[in-house]
Amino acid sequence: MASCAASLLLGLLSFLIVANTASSSSSSGGIRLSIIRKPSADVPVFREAPAFRNGDSCGLQRIHIVMTLDANYLRGTMAAVLSILQHSTCPENMEFHFLWSRFEREVFSSIKSTFPYLNFKVYRFDSNRVRGKISKSIRQALDQPLNYARIYLADIIPSDVKRVIYLDSDLVVVDDVAKLWEVDLEEKVLAAPEYCHANFTNYFSNLFWFDPVLAKTFHGRRPCYFNTGVMVVDVEKWRQGGITQKVEEWMTVQKQKRIYHLGSLPPFLLVLAGNIKGVDHRWNQHGLGGDNMEGKCRSLHPGPISLLHWSGKGKPWLRLDSRKPCIVDHLWAPYDLYRSSMHALEE
């Protein structure tokens, strides 16, 4: 009984302390009630981003950005969103569409508190849609169901959205994303930087190339590698062309014959490589996270840059926290809104 009474007393004292703090939060020495809230162990705490406003020349055109939302990559997502807004002439015209596989209240609250003025919607991606379709790849992170959500974005976002830019969470934009939005798709379903110097055969197994039927997949096309972390998509044409179903069909083949080793990229290549609109390489300076096995440091490719992409195993926030960053990680750091809970309490 004594132990129970002590617990009740402590609970009452805690309530009184928080209530008193709330009533005095406007005073100069008060601690904000939002800081009293115990942060989730899995969700970082972020600084509030500045409010970004449209320039005088902005019209009413909406630019639709699609990204996935995951607590494990939230720090990267926050940096990506900040970079897009900061370099945009018309930031208030941005509309973000976030796909997540489960409702995480702390993640949702973090976006609202970090970007109070952000125009965004959140949609649930049903991971059951890829259950039984995902084959084990060379890196576990590539096997997560949310990594396949981009295949289904045309089924998830509202039907009145005709075009989107899909972006991964491990990148920052250092140019006005409206320039990418305005690319002429020339009746193609998708636009992305193409890398025709890459050895395309390496993306598929010998079992694929030695199969007389499968090897004819690219006949009549000049297939080139493209990275699915940065894509401009004509959503209507995607739906009309049944692209989702075609990608799923190749995922089924993969389960039977093991024709590739990476995650969601190869089925995209099988369906669309050689039939997309090429975009200037400046819009995906990819591979900054190193390879998929070790994530070793890599240098920037020569030429102008509009988007930096840490595809690969190494992520800038993890390398910076480990105090073993690559040189390119310092280009990501200025967009990092993360703050430790200790720092938050000191404010």
Side-chain angles (χ1 to χ4, degrees), residues 265-277:
L265 168 65
F268 264 88
L269 297 179
L270 286 162
V271 176
L272 293 166
N275 195 28
I276 72 169
K277 167 65 177 178

Side-chain angles (χ1 to χ4, degrees), residues 134 137-144 147-148 261-264 292:
I134 298 176
S137 66
I138 61 175
R139 184 158 62 90
Q140 187 177 4
L142 300 176
D143 301 337
Q144 301 307 307
N147 194 45
Y148 290 78
H261 303 293
L262 290 174
S264 61
N292 280 302

Side-chain angles (χ1 to χ4, degrees), residues 24-38:
S24 61
S25 61
S26 59
S27 64
S28 59
I31 301 176
R32 293 192 300 273
L33 181 60
S34 59
I35 300 303
I36 291 294
R37 176 179 56 82
K38 182 182 178 182

